[in-house]
Protein backbone atom coordinates (compact mmCIF):
# COMPACT_ATOMS: atom_id res chain seq x y z
CA UNK A 1 0.00 0.00 0.00
CA UNK A 2 1.36 3.46 -0.91
CA UNK A 3 2.03 6.03 1.77
CA UNK A 4 2.99 9.67 1.82
CA UNK A 5 5.12 11.19 4.58
CA UNK A 6 4.31 14.78 5.47
CA UNK A 7 6.50 16.91 7.74
CA UNK A 8 5.05 19.75 9.79
CA UNK A 9 6.85 23.04 10.45
CA UNK A 10 7.52 21.88 14.01
CA UNK A 11 9.55 18.99 12.63
CA UNK A 12 7.15 16.20 13.57
CA UNK A 13 6.25 13.98 10.66
CA UNK A 14 3.29 11.72 10.11
CA UNK A 15 2.33 9.22 7.47
CA UNK A 16 -0.74 9.51 5.30
CA UNK A 17 -1.58 6.04 4.07
CA UNK A 18 -3.16 5.30 0.72
CA UNK A 19 -6.29 4.50 2.66
CA UNK A 20 -6.34 8.02 4.14
CA UNK A 21 -5.91 9.53 0.69
CA UNK A 22 -8.82 7.44 -0.50
CA UNK A 23 -10.88 8.80 2.41
CA UNK A 24 -9.90 12.34 1.44
CA UNK A 25 -11.02 11.78 -2.16
CA UNK A 26 -14.22 10.24 -0.86
CA UNK A 27 -14.87 13.28 1.37
CA UNK A 28 -14.28 15.66 -1.52
CA UNK A 29 -16.56 13.66 -3.80
CA UNK A 30 -19.35 13.46 -1.22
CA UNK A 31 -19.20 17.20 -0.57
CA UNK A 32 -19.23 17.88 -4.32
CA UNK A 33 -22.27 15.65 -4.80
CA UNK A 34 -23.98 17.29 -1.83
CA UNK A 35 -23.58 20.74 -3.39
CA UNK A 36 -24.69 19.54 -6.82
CA UNK A 37 -27.81 17.95 -5.29
CA UNK A 38 -28.50 21.15 -3.38
CA UNK A 39 -28.61 23.10 -6.66
CA UNK A 40 -30.69 20.48 -8.46
CA UNK A 41 -33.22 20.44 -5.62
CA UNK A 42 -33.70 24.21 -5.79
CA UNK A 43 -35.85 24.70 -8.92
CA UNK A 44 -35.55 28.49 -8.73
CA UNK A 45 -31.73 28.22 -8.77
CA UNK A 46 -31.82 25.91 -11.78
CA UNK A 47 -34.32 28.15 -13.56
CA UNK A 48 -32.33 31.30 -12.87
CA UNK A 49 -29.07 29.66 -14.00
CA UNK A 50 -30.64 28.57 -17.27
CA UNK A 51 -32.91 31.55 -18.03
CA UNK A 52 -30.23 34.19 -17.43
CA UNK A 53 -27.88 33.21 -20.30
CA UNK A 54 -30.82 32.79 -22.68
CA UNK A 55 -32.09 36.27 -21.80
CA UNK A 56 -28.65 37.88 -22.17
CA UNK A 57 -27.96 36.25 -25.55
CA UNK A 58 -31.34 37.14 -27.04
CA UNK A 59 -31.28 40.63 -25.62
CA UNK A 60 -27.81 41.59 -26.77
CA UNK A 61 -28.05 39.83 -30.13
CA UNK A 62 -31.34 41.40 -31.16
CA UNK A 63 -31.39 44.70 -29.25
CA UNK A 64 -27.74 45.75 -29.59
CA UNK A 65 -26.52 43.45 -32.36
CA UNK A 66 -27.67 45.61 -35.24
CA UNK A 67 -26.15 48.77 -33.76
CA UNK A 68 -22.73 47.46 -32.67
CA UNK A 69 -20.06 47.12 -35.35
CA UNK A 70 -17.63 44.27 -34.65
CA UNK A 71 -15.64 44.41 -37.86
CA UNK A 72 -18.02 42.76 -40.30
CA UNK A 73 -18.50 39.74 -38.01
CA UNK A 74 -21.97 38.56 -36.98
CA UNK A 75 -22.57 39.94 -33.50
CA UNK A 76 -23.66 36.52 -32.18
CA UNK A 77 -20.22 35.16 -33.13
CA UNK A 78 -18.55 37.97 -31.20
CA UNK A 79 -20.94 37.86 -28.24
CA UNK A 80 -21.16 34.19 -27.27
CA UNK A 81 -17.66 33.76 -25.74
CA UNK A 82 -18.34 36.84 -23.61
CA UNK A 83 -21.68 35.49 -22.39
CA UNK A 84 -20.09 32.10 -21.63
CA UNK A 85 -17.44 33.66 -19.40
CA UNK A 86 -19.91 36.09 -17.83
CA UNK A 87 -22.36 33.32 -16.92
CA UNK A 88 -19.60 31.09 -15.56
CA UNK A 89 -18.47 33.93 -13.31
CA UNK A 90 -21.99 34.93 -12.22
CA UNK A 91 -22.53 31.42 -10.86
CA UNK A 92 -19.02 30.82 -9.58
CA UNK A 93 -18.74 34.21 -7.94
CA UNK A 94 -22.13 35.43 -6.75
CA UNK A 95 -23.55 31.92 -6.17
CA UNK A 96 -20.54 30.63 -4.24
CA UNK A 97 -20.17 33.75 -2.09
CA UNK A 98 -23.83 33.65 -1.05
CA UNK A 99 -23.85 29.86 -0.60
CA UNK A 100 -20.77 29.79 1.63
CA UNK A 101 -21.92 32.78 3.69
CA UNK A 102 -25.39 31.28 4.18
CA UNK A 103 -24.00 27.93 5.32
CA UNK A 104 -21.59 29.63 7.73
CA UNK A 105 -24.42 31.76 9.11
CA UNK A 106 -26.79 28.78 9.49
CA UNK A 107 -24.15 26.83 11.41
CA UNK A 108 -23.90 24.07 8.81
CA UNK A 109 -20.15 24.58 8.44
CA UNK A 110 -19.75 24.05 12.21
CA UNK A 111 -21.47 20.68 11.85
CA UNK A 112 -19.12 19.73 9.02
CA UNK A 113 -16.16 20.75 11.17
CA UNK A 114 -17.31 18.45 13.96
CA UNK A 115 -17.36 15.46 11.61
CA UNK A 116 -14.44 13.07 11.11
CA UNK A 117 -13.72 14.39 7.64
CA UNK A 118 -11.16 16.54 5.87
CA UNK A 119 -11.66 20.26 6.37
CA UNK A 120 -10.35 21.07 2.92
CA UNK A 121 -12.93 18.69 1.42
CA UNK A 122 -15.78 21.01 2.43
CA UNK A 123 -14.38 23.92 0.41
CA UNK A 124 -12.99 21.85 -2.46
CA UNK A 125 -16.36 20.13 -2.78
CA UNK A 126 -18.06 23.51 -2.91
CA UNK A 127 -15.78 24.83 -5.67
CA UNK A 128 -15.83 21.58 -7.69
CA UNK A 129 -19.63 21.60 -7.69
CA UNK A 130 -19.45 24.92 -9.55
CA UNK A 131 -17.73 23.10 -12.43
CA UNK A 132 -20.78 20.84 -12.79
CA UNK A 133 -23.10 23.85 -12.70
CA UNK A 134 -20.98 25.65 -15.28
CA UNK A 135 -21.09 22.64 -17.61
CA UNK A 136 -24.89 22.82 -17.58
CA UNK A 137 -24.98 26.59 -18.06
CA UNK A 138 -22.38 26.42 -20.85
CA UNK A 139 -24.44 23.74 -22.60
CA UNK A 140 -27.57 25.90 -22.58
CA UNK A 141 -25.61 29.01 -23.60
CA UNK A 142 -23.96 27.28 -26.55
CA UNK A 143 -27.31 25.75 -27.57
CA UNK A 144 -29.02 29.14 -27.69
CA UNK A 145 -25.93 30.64 -29.34
CA UNK A 146 -26.14 28.10 -32.16
CA UNK A 147 -29.80 29.03 -32.68
CA UNK A 148 -29.00 32.75 -33.09
CA UNK A 149 -26.11 32.18 -35.51
CA UNK A 150 -22.98 31.31 -33.54
CA UNK A 151 -20.69 28.64 -35.04
CA UNK A 152 -17.54 26.81 -33.88
CA UNK A 153 -15.41 27.69 -36.90
CA UNK A 154 -12.09 26.40 -35.63
CA UNK A 155 -12.82 22.69 -35.26
CA UNK A 156 -13.77 20.40 -32.40
CA UNK A 157 -10.47 20.21 -30.48
CA UNK A 158 -10.01 24.00 -30.04
CA UNK A 159 -13.70 24.27 -29.12
CA UNK A 160 -13.31 21.66 -26.37
CA UNK A 161 -10.07 23.30 -25.24
CA UNK A 162 -11.96 26.60 -24.97
CA UNK A 163 -14.69 25.03 -22.85
CA UNK A 164 -12.09 23.42 -20.56
CA UNK A 165 -10.36 26.79 -20.20
CA UNK A 166 -13.73 28.32 -19.31
CA UNK A 167 -14.26 25.72 -16.56
CA UNK A 168 -10.75 26.32 -15.20
CA UNK A 169 -11.26 30.09 -15.07
CA UNK A 170 -14.68 29.68 -13.43
CA UNK A 171 -13.18 27.26 -10.89
CA UNK A 172 -10.38 29.71 -10.06
CA UNK A 173 -12.82 32.58 -9.51
CA UNK A 174 -14.95 30.34 -7.28
CA UNK A 175 -12.00 30.12 -4.84
CA UNK A 176 -11.90 33.91 -4.63
CA UNK A 177 -15.68 33.87 -4.11
CA UNK A 178 -15.36 31.21 -1.39
CA UNK A 179 -12.88 33.38 0.47
CA UNK A 180 -15.24 36.36 0.17
CA UNK A 181 -18.12 34.22 1.48
CA UNK A 182 -16.06 33.28 4.54
CA UNK A 183 -15.23 36.93 5.22
CA UNK A 184 -18.79 38.29 5.35
CA UNK A 185 -21.33 37.83 8.13
CA UNK A 186 -24.47 36.60 6.37
CA UNK A 187 -26.15 35.89 3.02
CA UNK A 188 -27.50 39.45 2.66
CA UNK A 189 -24.03 40.95 3.03
CA UNK A 190 -22.69 38.30 0.65
CA UNK A 191 -25.29 39.25 -1.94
CA UNK A 192 -24.18 42.87 -1.78
CA UNK A 193 -20.45 42.05 -1.84
CA UNK A 194 -20.82 39.36 -4.50
CA UNK A 195 -22.92 41.53 -6.78
CA UNK A 196 -20.95 44.76 -6.43
CA UNK A 197 -17.69 43.58 -7.99
CA UNK A 198 -18.96 41.01 -10.50
CA UNK A 199 -21.17 43.43 -12.45
CA UNK A 200 -18.46 45.93 -13.48
CA UNK A 201 -15.79 43.20 -13.66
CA UNK A 202 -17.67 41.28 -16.36
CA UNK A 203 -18.95 44.31 -18.26
CA UNK A 204 -15.74 46.37 -18.42
CA UNK A 205 -14.11 43.92 -20.81
CA UNK A 206 -14.23 42.78 -24.41
CA UNK A 207 -17.31 40.64 -23.68
CA UNK A 208 -19.90 42.89 -25.35
CA UNK A 209 -18.00 45.52 -27.34
CA UNK A 210 -14.44 45.74 -28.71
CA UNK A 211 -12.23 47.47 -26.14
CA UNK A 212 -10.99 49.81 -28.89
CA UNK A 213 -14.35 51.63 -28.86
CA UNK A 214 -13.93 52.62 -25.20
CA UNK A 215 -12.33 55.87 -24.00
CA UNK A 216 -8.56 55.59 -23.47
CA UNK A 217 -8.62 55.47 -19.67
CA UNK A 218 -11.27 52.73 -19.65
CA UNK A 219 -9.62 50.78 -22.46
CA UNK A 220 -6.37 50.71 -20.44
CA UNK A 221 -8.15 48.70 -17.74
CA UNK A 222 -10.45 46.66 -20.00
CA UNK A 223 -7.62 45.51 -22.27
CA UNK A 224 -5.67 44.07 -19.32
CA UNK A 225 -8.59 42.63 -17.38
CA UNK A 226 -8.49 38.85 -16.71
CA UNK A 227 -12.07 38.79 -18.02
CA UNK A 228 -10.88 40.19 -21.37
CA UNK A 229 -8.06 37.63 -21.53
CA UNK A 230 -10.53 34.78 -20.96
CA UNK A 231 -13.08 36.13 -23.46
CA UNK A 232 -10.43 36.74 -26.14
CA UNK A 233 -8.96 33.27 -25.57
CA UNK A 234 -12.36 31.65 -26.09
CA UNK A 235 -13.07 33.86 -29.10
CA UNK A 236 -9.78 32.84 -30.73
CA UNK A 237 -10.28 29.15 -29.94
CA UNK A 238 -13.87 29.12 -31.23
CA UNK A 239 -13.56 31.36 -34.29
CA UNK A 240 -9.86 31.19 -35.16
CA UNK A 241 -6.99 33.61 -34.71
CA UNK A 242 -3.91 33.90 -32.49
CA UNK A 243 -4.91 32.26 -29.21
CA UNK A 244 -1.65 31.34 -27.45
CA UNK A 245 -1.07 34.64 -25.64
CA UNK A 246 -4.66 34.89 -24.37
CA UNK A 247 -4.77 31.23 -23.33
CA UNK A 248 -1.52 31.58 -21.36
CA UNK A 249 -2.79 34.76 -19.69
CA UNK A 250 -6.03 33.04 -18.69
CA UNK A 251 -4.20 29.98 -17.35
CA UNK A 252 -1.80 32.25 -15.44
CA UNK A 253 -4.68 34.22 -13.90
CA UNK A 254 -6.48 30.98 -13.00
CA UNK A 255 -3.45 29.34 -11.40
CA UNK A 256 -2.65 32.59 -9.59
CA UNK A 257 -6.16 32.92 -8.17
CA UNK A 258 -6.18 29.31 -6.97
CA UNK A 259 -2.66 29.58 -5.52
CA UNK A 260 -3.56 32.70 -3.55
CA UNK A 261 -7.18 32.19 -2.51
CA UNK A 262 -7.40 28.42 -1.95
CA UNK A 263 -4.92 28.49 0.99
CA UNK A 264 -6.47 31.73 2.29
CA UNK A 265 -9.96 30.22 2.19
CA UNK A 266 -8.88 26.97 3.88
CA UNK A 267 -7.07 28.94 6.57
CA UNK A 268 -10.05 31.24 7.12
CA UNK A 269 -12.41 28.26 7.32
CA UNK A 270 -10.19 26.65 9.94
CA UNK A 271 -10.05 29.79 12.06
CA UNK A 272 -13.76 30.69 12.04
CA UNK B 1 -43.96 42.51 56.39
CA UNK B 2 -46.21 44.55 54.18
CA UNK B 3 -47.95 47.73 55.06
CA UNK B 4 -51.22 48.68 53.46
CA UNK B 5 -51.93 52.35 52.96
CA UNK B 6 -55.52 53.27 53.51
CA UNK B 7 -57.22 56.48 52.51
CA UNK B 8 -60.23 57.68 54.31
CA UNK B 9 -63.05 58.24 51.84
CA UNK B 10 -64.08 61.43 53.58
CA UNK B 11 -60.73 63.01 52.53
CA UNK B 12 -61.79 62.83 48.82
CA UNK B 13 -64.27 65.12 47.12
CA UNK B 14 -67.43 63.30 46.07
CA UNK B 15 -67.56 62.48 42.34
CA UNK B 16 -70.82 62.18 40.50
CA UNK B 17 -71.28 59.61 37.74
CA UNK B 18 -72.24 62.36 35.28
CA UNK B 19 -69.06 64.39 35.77
CA UNK B 20 -66.94 61.25 35.49
CA UNK B 21 -68.65 60.27 32.24
CA UNK B 22 -68.16 63.77 30.86
CA UNK B 23 -64.47 63.55 31.68
CA UNK B 24 -63.91 60.11 30.17
CA UNK B 25 -66.10 60.41 27.10
CA UNK B 26 -65.49 63.57 25.11
CA UNK B 27 -68.63 65.12 23.78
CA UNK B 28 -67.24 65.42 20.26
CA UNK B 29 -65.26 62.87 18.27
CA UNK B 30 -62.21 64.25 16.48
CA UNK B 31 -63.06 64.88 12.82
CA UNK B 32 -62.34 62.04 10.41
CA UNK B 33 -59.27 62.93 8.28
CA UNK B 34 -59.93 63.73 4.64
CA UNK B 35 -58.70 61.42 1.88
CA UNK B 36 -55.97 63.93 1.00
CA UNK B 37 -54.87 64.40 4.61
CA UNK B 38 -54.66 60.64 5.23
CA UNK B 39 -52.77 60.03 1.97
CA UNK B 40 -50.27 62.79 2.74
CA UNK B 41 -49.74 61.39 6.24
CA UNK B 42 -48.94 57.96 4.84
CA UNK B 43 -46.76 59.62 2.23
CA UNK B 44 -44.84 61.32 5.03
CA UNK B 45 -44.50 57.92 6.73
CA UNK B 46 -42.87 56.57 3.56
CA UNK B 47 -40.46 59.52 3.57
CA UNK B 48 -39.61 58.91 7.24
CA UNK B 49 -38.83 55.28 6.38
CA UNK B 50 -36.13 56.57 4.03
CA UNK B 51 -34.71 58.62 6.91
CA UNK B 52 -34.59 55.58 9.19
CA UNK B 53 -33.39 53.13 6.50
CA UNK B 54 -31.02 55.26 4.39
CA UNK B 55 -29.83 52.16 2.48
CA UNK B 56 -33.07 52.55 0.49
CA UNK B 57 -31.47 55.55 -1.20
CA UNK B 58 -28.78 53.31 -2.73
CA UNK B 59 -31.26 52.38 -5.45
CA UNK B 60 -31.97 56.00 -6.31
CA UNK B 61 -28.37 57.23 -6.14
CA UNK B 62 -25.59 54.67 -6.64
CA UNK B 63 -27.50 52.41 -9.05
CA UNK B 64 -28.53 55.20 -11.48
CA UNK B 65 -25.04 56.76 -11.40
CA UNK B 66 -23.48 53.38 -12.19
CA UNK B 67 -25.93 52.86 -15.07
CA UNK B 68 -25.25 56.27 -16.63
CA UNK B 69 -21.47 55.96 -16.44
CA UNK B 70 -21.35 52.34 -17.52
CA UNK B 71 -23.56 52.58 -20.58
CA UNK B 72 -22.15 55.93 -21.69
CA UNK B 73 -18.50 54.90 -21.58
CA UNK B 74 -18.84 51.18 -22.32
CA UNK B 75 -21.28 51.30 -25.21
CA UNK B 76 -21.06 54.94 -26.31
CA UNK B 77 -18.14 54.41 -28.67
CA UNK B 78 -19.61 51.27 -30.21
CA UNK B 79 -23.17 52.58 -30.57
CA UNK B 80 -22.72 56.25 -31.46
CA UNK B 81 -19.08 56.86 -32.28
CA UNK B 82 -18.25 58.55 -28.99
CA UNK B 83 -19.58 58.75 -25.42
CA UNK B 84 -20.19 62.52 -25.86
CA UNK B 85 -22.62 61.93 -28.72
CA UNK B 86 -24.25 58.93 -27.10
CA UNK B 87 -25.03 60.68 -23.80
CA UNK B 88 -27.39 63.08 -25.65
CA UNK B 89 -29.46 60.12 -26.81
CA UNK B 90 -28.96 57.88 -23.78
CA UNK B 91 -29.55 60.08 -20.74
CA UNK B 92 -33.33 60.62 -21.06
CA UNK B 93 -33.72 56.91 -21.81
CA UNK B 94 -31.58 55.69 -18.93
CA UNK B 95 -33.45 58.15 -16.71
CA UNK B 96 -36.68 56.43 -17.71
CA UNK B 97 -35.15 52.99 -17.21
CA UNK B 98 -33.75 53.67 -13.73
CA UNK B 99 -36.90 55.32 -12.40
CA UNK B 100 -39.19 52.66 -13.88
CA UNK B 101 -36.93 49.95 -12.42
CA UNK B 102 -37.20 51.34 -8.88
CA UNK B 103 -41.02 51.34 -9.02
CA UNK B 104 -40.84 47.69 -7.97
CA UNK B 105 -39.74 48.69 -4.46
CA UNK B 106 -43.28 49.94 -3.81
CA UNK B 107 -44.46 46.33 -4.00
CA UNK B 108 -41.58 45.19 -1.81
CA UNK B 109 -42.47 47.80 0.86
CA UNK B 110 -46.14 46.81 0.81
CA UNK B 111 -45.23 43.14 1.16
CA UNK B 112 -42.85 43.85 4.06
CA UNK B 113 -45.52 45.82 5.95
CA UNK B 114 -48.05 43.02 5.47
CA UNK B 115 -45.54 40.50 6.84
CA UNK B 116 -44.94 42.69 9.90
CA UNK B 117 -48.67 43.04 10.55
CA UNK B 118 -48.65 46.84 10.25
CA UNK B 119 -51.41 46.73 7.65
CA UNK B 120 -53.85 45.13 10.07
CA UNK B 121 -53.38 48.11 12.37
CA UNK B 122 -53.93 50.57 9.52
CA UNK B 123 -57.14 48.84 8.55
CA UNK B 124 -58.57 49.39 12.02
CA UNK B 125 -58.22 53.18 11.62
CA UNK B 126 -61.18 55.35 10.54
CA UNK B 127 -59.50 56.56 7.35
CA UNK B 128 -60.04 56.45 3.61
CA UNK B 129 -59.08 52.89 2.67
CA UNK B 130 -56.83 53.57 -0.33
CA UNK B 131 -54.84 56.24 1.56
CA UNK B 132 -52.26 53.69 2.75
CA UNK B 133 -51.54 52.67 -0.85
CA UNK B 134 -51.63 56.21 -2.20
CA UNK B 135 -49.28 57.21 0.61
CA UNK B 136 -46.73 54.63 -0.48
CA UNK B 137 -46.88 55.91 -4.02
CA UNK B 138 -46.55 59.55 -2.95
CA UNK B 139 -43.48 58.68 -0.88
CA UNK B 140 -42.04 56.81 -3.83
CA UNK B 141 -42.73 59.76 -6.13
CA UNK B 142 -40.18 61.65 -4.02
CA UNK B 143 -37.66 58.85 -4.58
CA UNK B 144 -38.28 59.01 -8.33
CA UNK B 145 -37.64 62.75 -8.24
CA UNK B 146 -34.39 62.26 -6.29
CA UNK B 147 -33.24 59.61 -8.78
CA UNK B 148 -34.02 61.95 -11.68
CA UNK B 149 -32.09 64.83 -10.13
CA UNK B 150 -29.10 62.60 -9.35
CA UNK B 151 -28.95 61.26 -12.90
CA UNK B 152 -29.42 64.64 -14.54
CA UNK B 153 -26.61 66.06 -12.42
CA UNK B 154 -24.26 63.22 -13.37
CA UNK B 155 -25.34 63.53 -17.00
CA UNK B 156 -24.63 67.27 -17.06
CA UNK B 157 -21.18 66.65 -15.54
CA UNK B 158 -20.25 64.15 -18.26
CA UNK B 159 -21.57 66.25 -21.14
CA UNK B 160 -25.36 66.03 -21.45
CA UNK B 161 -26.91 69.31 -22.62
CA UNK B 162 -30.73 69.50 -22.78
CA UNK B 163 -31.79 71.90 -25.54
CA UNK B 164 -35.20 72.22 -23.90
CA UNK B 165 -33.67 74.09 -20.97
CA UNK B 166 -35.10 74.02 -17.45
CA UNK B 167 -38.70 73.95 -18.70
CA UNK B 168 -38.13 70.95 -20.95
CA UNK B 169 -36.28 69.05 -18.24
CA UNK B 170 -38.98 69.75 -15.64
CA UNK B 171 -41.71 68.70 -18.08
CA UNK B 172 -39.84 65.48 -18.87
CA UNK B 173 -39.28 64.64 -15.19
CA UNK B 174 -42.92 65.47 -14.35
CA UNK B 175 -44.17 63.12 -17.07
CA UNK B 176 -41.79 60.40 -15.90
CA UNK B 177 -42.84 60.73 -12.24
CA UNK B 178 -46.54 60.73 -13.20
CA UNK B 179 -46.09 57.58 -15.31
CA UNK B 180 -44.07 55.86 -12.57
CA UNK B 181 -46.70 56.74 -9.96
CA UNK B 182 -49.30 55.01 -12.15
CA UNK B 183 -47.03 52.08 -12.99
CA UNK B 184 -46.34 51.47 -9.28
CA UNK B 185 -49.93 50.25 -8.87
CA UNK B 186 -48.86 47.10 -10.73
CA UNK B 187 -46.30 46.32 -8.02
CA UNK B 188 -48.64 47.17 -5.12
CA UNK B 189 -50.90 44.48 -6.55
CA UNK B 190 -48.02 41.98 -6.62
CA UNK B 191 -46.98 43.09 -3.13
CA UNK B 192 -50.42 42.08 -1.86
CA UNK B 193 -50.64 38.97 -4.02
CA UNK B 194 -47.29 37.27 -3.41
CA UNK B 195 -46.02 35.67 -0.23
CA UNK B 196 -42.51 37.07 0.19
CA UNK B 197 -40.56 40.15 -0.82
CA UNK B 198 -38.14 37.90 -2.76
CA UNK B 199 -41.05 36.69 -4.89
CA UNK B 200 -42.14 40.29 -5.52
CA UNK B 201 -38.61 41.22 -6.62
CA UNK B 202 -38.30 38.11 -8.77
CA UNK B 203 -41.58 38.69 -10.61
CA UNK B 204 -40.95 42.41 -11.05
CA UNK B 205 -37.46 41.83 -12.46
CA UNK B 206 -38.83 39.27 -14.91
CA UNK B 207 -41.26 41.91 -16.18
CA UNK B 208 -39.07 45.01 -15.95
CA UNK B 209 -35.84 43.64 -17.39
CA UNK B 210 -37.25 42.74 -20.84
CA UNK B 211 -39.69 45.66 -20.84
CA UNK B 212 -36.96 48.28 -20.34
CA UNK B 213 -34.41 46.67 -22.64
CA UNK B 214 -36.90 45.96 -25.43
CA UNK B 215 -37.40 49.67 -26.05
CA UNK B 216 -35.67 52.65 -27.64
CA UNK B 217 -33.76 53.47 -24.44
CA UNK B 218 -30.36 52.30 -25.71
CA UNK B 219 -30.64 52.08 -29.48
CA UNK B 220 -32.85 53.26 -32.32
CA UNK B 221 -35.39 50.48 -32.99
CA UNK B 222 -34.56 50.74 -36.73
CA UNK B 223 -31.39 48.70 -36.03
CA UNK B 224 -33.48 45.82 -34.63
CA UNK B 225 -35.06 42.94 -36.59
CA UNK B 226 -38.53 43.71 -38.01
CA UNK B 227 -40.44 41.34 -35.72
CA UNK B 228 -38.84 42.98 -32.67
CA UNK B 229 -39.53 46.50 -33.93
CA UNK B 230 -43.24 45.70 -33.97
CA UNK B 231 -43.15 45.13 -30.21
CA UNK B 232 -40.63 47.85 -29.36
CA UNK B 233 -42.47 50.61 -31.24
CA UNK B 234 -45.67 49.91 -29.30
CA UNK B 235 -44.15 49.44 -25.85
CA UNK B 236 -45.25 51.90 -23.14
CA UNK B 237 -41.59 52.36 -22.19
CA UNK B 238 -40.71 53.35 -25.77
CA UNK B 239 -43.49 55.96 -25.81
CA UNK B 240 -42.39 57.32 -22.44
CA UNK B 241 -38.71 57.34 -23.41
CA UNK B 242 -39.47 59.16 -26.68
CA UNK B 243 -41.66 61.71 -24.90
CA UNK B 244 -39.07 62.46 -22.20
CA UNK B 245 -36.24 62.58 -24.77
CA UNK B 246 -38.10 65.05 -27.01
CA UNK B 247 -39.34 67.22 -24.13
CA UNK B 248 -35.78 67.58 -22.87
CA UNK B 249 -34.64 68.36 -26.41
CA UNK B 250 -37.10 71.26 -26.56
CA UNK B 251 -39.86 69.66 -28.66
CA UNK B 252 -43.49 69.01 -27.76
CA UNK B 253 -44.29 65.43 -28.86
CA UNK B 254 -48.06 65.52 -28.33
CA UNK B 255 -48.69 61.98 -29.58
CA UNK B 256 -45.95 60.41 -27.40
CA UNK B 257 -47.16 62.36 -24.35
CA UNK B 258 -50.72 61.22 -25.05
CA UNK B 259 -49.59 57.58 -25.36
CA UNK B 260 -47.58 57.81 -22.11
CA UNK B 261 -50.46 59.37 -20.18
CA UNK B 262 -52.88 56.90 -21.77
CA UNK B 263 -50.80 53.96 -20.56
CA UNK B 264 -50.50 55.60 -17.13
CA UNK B 265 -54.27 56.01 -16.93
CA UNK B 266 -54.77 52.40 -17.98
CA UNK B 267 -52.43 51.15 -15.24
CA UNK B 268 -54.34 53.10 -12.58
CA UNK B 269 -57.77 52.08 -13.90
CA UNK B 270 -56.86 48.39 -14.11
CA UNK B 271 -54.47 47.81 -11.22
CA UNK B 272 -55.85 50.39 -8.76
CA UNK B 273 -59.19 48.59 -8.21
CA UNK B 274 -57.50 45.15 -8.21
CA UNK B 275 -55.03 46.37 -5.57
CA UNK B 276 -57.81 47.78 -3.38
CA UNK B 277 -59.87 44.62 -3.72
CA UNK B 278 -56.90 42.51 -2.64
CA UNK B 279 -56.16 44.94 0.19
CA UNK B 280 -59.73 44.76 1.50
CA UNK B 281 -59.71 40.97 1.38
CA UNK B 282 -56.32 40.57 3.12
Amino acid sequence: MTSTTLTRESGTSYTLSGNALAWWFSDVWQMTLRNVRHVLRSPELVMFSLVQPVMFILLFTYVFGGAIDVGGERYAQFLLPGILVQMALYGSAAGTTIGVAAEMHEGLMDRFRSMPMSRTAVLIGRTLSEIFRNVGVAGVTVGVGLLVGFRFRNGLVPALAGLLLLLLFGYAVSWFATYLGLLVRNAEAAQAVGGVWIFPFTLISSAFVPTGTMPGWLEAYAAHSPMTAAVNALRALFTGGPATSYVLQTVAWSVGLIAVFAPLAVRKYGSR
Amino acid sequence: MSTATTTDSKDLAPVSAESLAALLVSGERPPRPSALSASLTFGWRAVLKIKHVPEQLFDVTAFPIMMVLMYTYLFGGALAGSPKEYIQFLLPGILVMSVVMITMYTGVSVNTDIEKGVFDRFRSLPIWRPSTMVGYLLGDALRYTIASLVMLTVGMIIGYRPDGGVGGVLAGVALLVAFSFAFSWVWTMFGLLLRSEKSVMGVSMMVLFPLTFLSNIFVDPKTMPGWLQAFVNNSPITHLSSAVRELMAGDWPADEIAWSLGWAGLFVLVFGPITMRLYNRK
Side-chain angles (χ1 to χ4, degrees), chain B residues 227-243:
Chain B
W227 57 269
L228 190 59
Q229 282 185 45
F231 171 81
V232 169
N233 289 329
N234 295 294
S235 160
I237 302 298
T238 297
H239 290 303
L240 178 64
S241 177
S242 298

Side-chain angles (χ1 to χ4, degrees), chain B residues 108-191:
Chain B
V108 173
S109 300
V110 168
N111 190 273
T112 306
D113 276 350
I114 290 168
E115 288 300 304
K116 287 179 180 172
V118 178
F119 260 42
D120 296 331
R121 298 177 72 180
F122 290 158
R123 263 206 299 250
S124 68
L125 298 173
I127 52 170
W128 182 54
R129 269 284 166 98
S131 63
T132 46
M133 292 296 167
V134 175
Y136 272 114
L137 302 177
L138 288 173
D140 282 340
L142 177 71
R143 293 175 70 203
Y144 308 149
T145 310
I146 293 169
S148 303
L149 288 171
V150 166
M151 292 183 77
L152 282 163
T153 306
V154 173
M156 300 281 276
I157 291 167
I158 62 174
Y160 176 67
R161 295 293 175 266
D163 295 333
V166 177
V169 168
L170 288 176
V173 170
L175 179 66
L176 173 58
V177 171
F179 179 91
S180 301
F181 175 88
F183 194 49
S184 295
W185 282 101
V186 178
W187 312 123
T188 56
M189 181 196 75
F190 280 116

